[in-house]
Coordinates of all heavy atoms in Angstrom, one line a residue:
M1 N 109.6 124.8 121.5 CA 109.9 124.1 120.2 C 108.5 123.7 119.6 O 107.6 123.4 120.4 CB 110.8 122.8 120.5 CG 112.0 123.1 121.1 SD 113.3 123.6 119.9 CE 113.9 122.1 119.2
L2 N 108.5 123.5 118.3 CA 107.2 123.1 117.6 C 107.8 122.0 116.7 O 108.8 122.0 116.2 CB 106.6 124.2 116.8 CG 105.9 125.3 117.5 CD1 105.6 126.4 116.6 CD2 104.6 124.8 118.1
S3 N 106.8 121.0 116.4 CA 107.2 119.9 115.5 C 105.9 119.8 114.6 O 104.8 120.3 114.8 CB 107.4 118.6 116.0 OG 106.2 118.0 116.6
F4 N 106.2 119.2 113.3 CA 105.2 119.1 112.4 C 105.5 117.8 111.5 O 106.7 117.4 111.2 CB 105.3 120.2 111.4 CG 104.5 119.9 110.1 CD1 103.1 120.1 110.2 CD2 105.1 119.7 108.9 CE1 102.3 119.8 109.0 CE2 104.3 119.4 107.8 CZ 102.9 119.5 107.9
K5 N 104.5 117.0 111.2 CA 104.6 115.7 110.5 C 103.9 115.9 109.2 O 102.8 116.3 109.1 CB 103.8 114.6 111.1 CG 104.3 114.1 112.3 CD 103.6 112.6 112.6 CE 103.5 112.4 114.0 NZ 102.4 113.0 114.8
C6 N 104.7 115.7 108.1 CA 104.1 115.8 106.8 C 102.9 115.0 106.5 O 102.0 115.5 105.9 CB 105.3 115.3 105.8 SG 105.0 115.9 104.0
S7 N 102.8 113.9 107.1 CA 101.6 113.0 107.0 C 100.4 113.6 107.6 O 99.2 113.3 107.1 CB 101.8 111.6 107.6 OG 102.2 111.8 109.1
D8 N 100.5 114.6 108.4 CA 99.3 115.2 109.0 C 98.6 116.1 108.0 O 97.5 116.5 108.3 CB 99.7 116.1 110.2 CG 99.9 115.4 111.5 OD1 99.6 114.1 111.5 OD2 100.5 115.8 112.5
V9 N 99.2 116.5 106.9 CA 98.5 117.2 105.9 C 98.1 116.3 104.7 O 97.9 116.8 103.6 CB 99.1 118.5 105.5 CG1 99.1 119.5 106.5 CG2 100.5 118.3 105.1
G10 N 98.3 114.9 104.9 CA 97.8 114.1 103.9 C 98.8 113.5 103.0 O 98.4 112.7 102.0
F11 N 100.0 113.8 103.1 CA 101.0 113.0 102.4 C 101.4 111.8 103.0 O 101.5 111.6 104.1 CB 102.3 114.0 102.2 CG 102.2 115.1 101.3 CD1 102.0 116.4 101.9 CD2 102.2 115.0 99.9 CE1 101.9 117.5 101.1 CE2 102.1 116.1 99.1 CZ 101.9 117.4 99.8
D12 N 101.6 110.7 102.0 CA 102.1 109.4 102.5 C 103.7 109.6 102.6 O 104.4 109.3 101.7 CB 101.6 108.4 101.4 CG 102.1 107.1 101.9 OD1 102.6 106.8 103.1 OD2 102.1 106.1 101.1
C13 N 104.1 110.0 103.8 CA 105.5 110.5 104.0 C 105.8 110.4 105.4 O 105.0 110.8 106.3 CB 105.4 112.0 103.4 SG 107.0 112.8 103.7
N14 N 107.0 110.0 105.7 CA 107.4 110.0 107.1 C 108.2 111.2 107.7 O 108.9 111.1 108.8 CB 108.1 108.7 107.5 CG 109.3 108.4 106.7 OD1 109.8 109.3 106.2 ND2 109.8 107.2 106.8
Y15 N 108.2 112.3 106.8 CA 109.0 113.4 107.1 C 108.5 114.2 108.4 O 107.3 114.4 108.5 CB 109.1 114.4 106.0 CG 109.8 115.7 106.2 CD1 111.1 115.8 106.1 CD2 109.0 116.9 106.5 CE1 111.8 117.0 106.4 CE2 109.5 118.0 106.8 CZ 111.1 118.2 106.7 OH 111.7 119.3 106.8
T16 N 109.3 114.4 109.4 CA 109.0 115.3 110.5 C 110.0 116.3 110.6 O 111.2 116.1 110.3 CB 108.9 114.5 111.8 OG1 110.1 114.0 112.2 CG2 107.9 113.4 111.6
V17 N 109.6 117.4 111.1 CA 110.5 118.6 111.4 C 110.3 119.2 112.8 O 109.2 119.3 113.3 CB 110.5 119.6 110.3 CG1 109.2 120.2 110.1 CG2 111.5 120.7 110.5
T18 N 111.3 119.5 113.6 CA 111.2 120.2 114.9 C 112.1 121.4 114.7 O 113.3 121.3 114.4 CB 111.6 119.3 116.0 OG1 110.8 118.1 115.9 CG2 111.5 119.9 117.4
E19 N 111.5 122.6 115.1 CA 112.2 123.8 115.1 C 111.7 124.8 116.2 O 110.7 124.4 116.9 CB 112.0 124.6 113.7 CG 112.7 124.0 112.5 CD 114.1 124.0 112.6 OE1 114.7 124.7 113.3 OE2 114.8 123.2 111.9
D20 N 112.4 125.9 116.4 CA 112.1 126.8 117.6 C 110.8 127.5 117.4 O 110.0 127.8 118.3 CB 113.0 127.9 117.6 CG 114.4 127.3 118.3 OD1 114.3 126.3 119.0 OD2 115.5 127.9 118.0
N21 N 110.4 127.7 116.0 CA 109.2 128.5 115.9 C 108.5 128.2 114.5 O 109.1 127.5 113.7 CB 109.5 130.0 115.9 CG 110.5 130.4 115.0 OD1 110.4 130.2 113.8 ND2 111.6 131.0 115.4
D22 N 107.3 128.7 114.2 CA 106.7 128.2 113.1 C 107.2 128.8 111.8 O 107.2 128.1 110.8 CB 105.1 128.7 113.3 CG 104.9 130.1 113.3 OD1 105.8 130.9 113.6 OD2 103.8 130.6 113.1
A23 N 107.9 129.9 111.9 CA 108.5 130.5 110.6 C 109.6 129.5 110.2 O 109.8 129.2 109.0 CB 109.1 131.8 110.9
E24 N 110.5 129.0 111.0 CA 111.5 128.0 110.7 C 110.8 126.7 110.2 O 111.4 126.2 109.2 CB 112.4 127.8 112.0 CG 113.3 128.9 112.4 CD 114.3 129.2 111.2 OE1 114.9 128.2 110.7 OE2 114.3 130.3 110.9
I25 N 109.8 126.3 110.8 CA 109.1 125.2 110.3 C 108.6 125.3 109.0 O 108.9 124.4 108.0 CB 108.0 124.6 111.2 CG1 108.7 124.1 112.5 CG2 107.2 123.6 110.6 CD1 107.7 123.4 113.5
M26 N 108.0 126.4 108.7 CA 107.4 126.7 107.2 C 108.6 126.7 106.2 O 108.4 126.1 105.2 CB 106.8 128.0 107.2 CG 105.4 128.0 107.7 SD 104.2 126.8 107.1 CE 104.5 127.0 105.3
K27 N 109.7 127.2 106.7 CA 110.9 127.3 105.7 C 111.4 125.8 105.4 O 111.5 125.5 104.2 CB 112.1 128.0 106.4 CG 112.9 128.8 105.5 CD 113.8 129.8 106.2 CE 115.1 129.0 106.6 NZ 116.0 129.9 107.4
K28 N 111.4 125.0 106.4 CA 111.9 123.6 106.2 C 110.8 122.8 105.4 O 111.2 122.0 104.6 CB 112.2 122.9 107.6 CG 113.4 123.4 108.3 CD 114.7 123.0 107.7 CE 115.9 123.7 108.2 NZ 116.0 123.2 109.7
V29 N 109.5 123.0 105.7 CA 108.5 122.3 105.1 C 108.5 122.7 103.6 O 108.2 121.8 102.8 CB 107.2 122.5 105.8 CG1 105.9 122.0 104.9 CG2 107.2 121.8 107.1
M30 N 108.6 124.0 103.3 CA 108.5 124.4 101.9 C 109.8 123.7 101.1 O 109.6 123.2 100.0 CB 108.6 125.9 101.8 CG 107.3 126.4 102.2 SD 107.2 128.2 102.3 CE 106.5 128.5 100.5
E31 N 111.0 123.7 101.7 CA 112.1 123.0 101.1 C 111.8 121.6 100.9 O 112.1 121.0 99.8 CB 113.3 123.3 102.0 CG 114.0 124.5 102.0 CD 115.0 124.7 103.1 OE1 115.4 123.8 103.7 OE2 115.6 125.9 103.2
H32 N 111.2 120.9 102.0 CA 110.9 119.5 101.8 C 109.9 119.3 100.8 O 110.1 118.3 99.9 CB 110.4 119.0 103.1 CG 109.7 117.8 103.1 ND1 110.3 116.4 102.9 CD2 108.4 117.4 103.1 CE1 109.5 115.5 102.8 NE2 108.3 116.0 103.0
G33 N 108.9 120.1 100.7 CA 107.8 119.9 99.6 C 108.3 120.0 98.3 O 108.0 119.3 97.4
K34 N 109.2 121.0 98.1 CA 109.8 121.2 96.7 C 110.7 120.1 96.3 O 110.6 119.6 95.2 CB 110.6 122.5 96.7 CG 109.6 123.7 96.8 CD 110.4 125.0 96.9 CE 109.5 126.2 97.2 NZ 110.2 127.4 97.4
R35 N 111.4 119.6 97.3 CA 112.4 118.6 96.9 C 111.6 117.1 96.9 O 112.2 116.3 95.9 CB 113.5 118.4 98.2 CG 114.6 117.6 97.8 CD 115.7 117.6 99.0 NE 115.0 117.2 100.3 CZ 115.0 117.9 101.4 NH1 115.7 119.1 101.5 NH2 114.5 117.4 102.5
D36 N 110.9 116.9 97.8 CA 110.4 115.5 97.8 C 109.0 115.3 97.3 O 108.5 114.1 97.1 CB 110.4 115.0 99.4 CG 111.9 114.8 99.8 OD1 112.9 114.6 98.9 OD2 112.1 115.0 101.0
H37 N 108.2 116.3 97.1 CA 106.8 116.3 96.6 C 106.6 117.0 95.3 O 105.5 117.2 94.8 CB 105.9 116.6 97.7 CG 105.9 115.8 98.9 ND1 105.8 114.5 98.8 CD2 106.2 116.2 100.2 CE1 105.9 114.1 100.2 NE2 106.2 115.0 101.0
N38 N 107.7 117.5 94.7 CA 107.6 118.2 93.4 C 106.6 119.5 93.5 O 105.9 119.7 92.5 CB 107.2 117.3 92.2 CG 108.4 116.4 92.0 OD1 109.5 116.7 92.0 ND2 108.0 115.1 91.8
L39 N 106.5 120.1 94.8 CA 105.7 121.1 94.8 C 106.5 122.5 94.4 O 107.7 122.4 94.5 CB 105.2 121.4 96.4 CG 104.4 120.2 96.9 CD1 104.1 120.6 98.3 CD2 103.1 119.9 96.1
N40 N 105.8 123.5 94.0 CA 106.4 124.8 93.9 C 105.8 125.8 94.8 O 104.9 125.5 95.4 CB 106.4 125.1 92.4 CG 105.1 125.4 91.8 OD1 104.3 126.0 92.4 ND2 104.9 124.7 90.7
S41 N 106.4 127.0 94.7 CA 106.0 128.0 95.7 C 104.4 128.2 95.7 O 103.7 128.5 96.6 CB 106.6 129.3 95.6 OG 108.0 129.1 95.7
N42 N 103.9 128.1 94.4 CA 102.4 128.5 94.1 C 101.6 127.4 94.8 O 100.3 127.6 95.0 CB 102.2 128.4 92.7 CG 102.7 129.6 91.9 OD1 103.1 130.7 92.6 ND2 103.1 129.6 90.7
D43 N 102.1 126.1 95.0 CA 101.4 125.1 95.6 C 101.2 125.4 97.1 O 100.2 124.8 97.8 CB 102.0 123.8 95.6 CG 102.0 123.3 94.1 OD1 101.0 123.4 93.4 OD2 103.1 122.8 93.5
F44 N 101.9 126.2 97.7 CA 101.8 126.6 99.2 C 100.8 127.8 99.3 O 101.1 128.9 99.6 CB 103.1 126.9 99.7 CG 104.0 125.7 100.0 CD1 104.9 125.3 99.0 CD2 103.8 125.0 101.2 CE1 105.5 124.1 99.3 CE2 104.6 123.8 101.4 CZ 105.5 123.4 100.4
T45 N 99.5 127.4 99.0 CA 98.5 128.3 99.1 C 98.2 128.8 100.6 O 98.6 128.0 101.5 CB 97.1 127.7 98.6 OG1 96.8 126.5 99.4 CG2 97.3 127.3 97.1
P46 N 97.6 129.9 100.7 CA 97.2 130.3 102.1 C 96.5 129.1 102.9 O 96.7 129.0 104.0 CB 96.2 131.5 101.9 CG 96.8 132.2 100.7 CD 97.2 130.9 99.9
S47 N 95.6 128.5 102.3 CA 94.9 127.4 103.0 C 95.8 126.2 103.3 O 95.7 125.7 104.4 CB 93.7 126.9 102.2 OG 94.0 126.1 101.1
L48 N 96.8 125.9 102.4 CA 97.8 124.9 102.8 C 98.6 125.3 104.0 O 98.9 124.6 105.0 CB 98.6 124.4 101.6 CG 99.7 123.3 102.0 CD1 99.1 122.0 102.6 CD2 100.5 123.0 100.7
I49 N 99.0 126.6 104.0 CA 99.9 127.1 104.9 C 99.1 127.1 106.3 O 99.6 126.7 107.4 CB 100.4 128.5 104.6 CG1 101.5 128.3 103.4 CG2 101.0 129.2 105.8 CD1 101.9 129.5 102.8
D50 N 97.8 127.5 106.3 CA 96.9 127.5 107.5 C 96.9 126.1 108.0 O 97.0 125.9 109.2 CB 95.6 128.1 107.2 CG 95.5 129.5 107.3 OD1 96.5 130.2 107.6 OD2 94.4 129.9 107.0
N51 N 96.7 125.1 107.2 CA 96.6 123.8 107.5 C 97.9 123.3 108.1 O 97.8 122.7 109.2 CB 96.3 123.0 106.2 CG 95.8 121.5 106.5 OD1 95.5 121.2 107.6 ND2 95.6 120.8 105.5
I52 N 99.0 123.6 107.6 CA 100.3 123.3 108.2 C 100.5 123.9 109.6 O 100.8 123.1 110.5 CB 101.4 123.6 107.2 CG1 101.5 122.8 105.9 CG2 102.8 123.4 107.9 CD1 102.3 123.3 104.8
R53 N 100.2 125.2 109.7 CA 100.4 125.8 111.0 C 99.4 125.2 112.0 O 99.8 125.0 113.2 CB 100.0 127.3 110.9 CG 100.9 128.1 110.3 CD 100.8 129.7 110.4 NE 101.4 130.5 109.4 CZ 102.7 130.8 109.5 NH1 103.4 130.3 110.4 NH2 103.2 131.4 108.6
G54 N 98.2 124.7 111.6 CA 97.3 124.2 112.5 C 97.5 122.8 113.0 O 97.2 122.4 114.1
K55 N 98.6 122.1 112.2 CA 99.0 120.8 112.6 C 100.3 120.8 113.5 O 100.7 119.7 113.8 CB 99.2 119.9 111.4 CG 98.1 119.7 110.4 CD 96.8 119.0 111.1 CE 95.9 118.7 110.0 NZ 94.6 118.1 110.7
M56 N 100.9 121.9 113.6 CA 102.0 122.1 114.4 C 101.8 121.8 115.9 O 100.8 122.1 116.3 CB 102.8 123.5 114.2 CG 103.3 123.7 112.9 SD 104.0 125.4 112.9 CE 104.3 125.5 111.1
Q57 N 102.7 121.0 116.4 CA 102.5 120.6 117.9 C 103.6 121.1 118.7 O 104.8 121.1 118.2 CB 102.5 119.0 118.0 CG 101.7 118.3 116.9 CD 100.7 117.4 117.6 OE1 101.0 116.9 118.7 NE2 99.6 117.1 117.0
K58 N 103.2 121.5 119.9 CA 104.2 122.0 120.9 C 105.1 120.8 121.4 O 104.4 119.7 121.6 CB 103.5 122.5 122.1 CG 103.3 124.1 121.9 CD 103.1 124.7 123.2 CE 103.1 126.3 123.2 NZ 102.7 126.9 122.1
V59 N 106.3 121.1 121.4 CA 107.2 120.0 122.0 C 108.0 120.5 123.2 O 108.5 121.7 123.0 CB 108.4 119.7 120.9 CG1 109.3 118.6 121.5 CG2 107.6 119.1 119.6
E60 N 107.9 119.9 124.3 CA 108.7 120.3 125.4 C 110.2 120.1 125.2 O 110.5 119.0 124.8 CB 108.2 119.5 126.6 CG 106.9 119.7 127.1 CD 106.4 121.3 127.4 OE1 107.3 121.9 127.8 OE2 105.4 121.7 127.0
D61 N 110.9 121.2 125.3 CA 112.4 120.9 125.4 C 113.0 120.8 126.8 O 112.8 121.7 127.5 CB 113.2 121.9 124.4 CG 112.8 123.3 124.6 OD1 111.7 123.5 125.2 OD2 113.4 124.2 124.1
N62 N 113.7 119.8 127.0 CA 114.1 119.4 128.4 C 115.5 120.0 128.6 O 116.3 119.9 127.9 CB 114.2 118.0 128.6 CG 112.8 117.4 128.5 OD1 111.9 117.9 129.2 ND2 112.6 116.4 127.7
Ligands
ZN101 ZN1 106.6 114.9 102.9

């Protein structure tokens, strides 16, 4: 499992997401960004996506 915190890429936001893999997290983060931060697809630049991937943390599932 991987988790991601929105605040780790600079938003003043307490959103976190935990999913099986980075593709699922990206999907959820893009939905969240569009809904809660008024982002659109063009705002998810390769550098933002790299930044998001770099902030994902491994979570042990018990
Ligand atoms: Zn957020």
Side-chain angles (χ1 to χ4, degrees):
M1 303 279 279
L2 288 169
S3 77
F4 170 76
K5 287 198 215 73
C6 195
S7 58
D8 282 348
V9 291
F11 288 101
D12 181 12
C13 175
N14 60 11
Y15 176 82
T16 65
V17 57
T18 303
E19 290 293 342
D20 288 336
N21 58 59
D22 62 344
E24 286 298 310
I25 291 188
M26 280 309 310
K27 212 168 87 181
K28 292 286 175 60
V29 168
M30 288 176 92
E31 287 170 6
H32 164 73
K34 290 174 187 175
R35 188 179 60 232
D36 293 329
H37 299 298
N38 294 316
L39 301 180
N40 61 52
S41 299
N42 294 334
D43 292 315
F44 287 88
T45 58
S47 72
L48 178 55
I49 289 170
D50 274 358
N51 197 5
I52 292 168
R53 285 191 200 283
K55 303 290 186 188
M56 292 179 188
Q57 309 237 334
K58 269 200 163 38
V59 179
E60 297 302 325
D61 41 351
N62 296 310

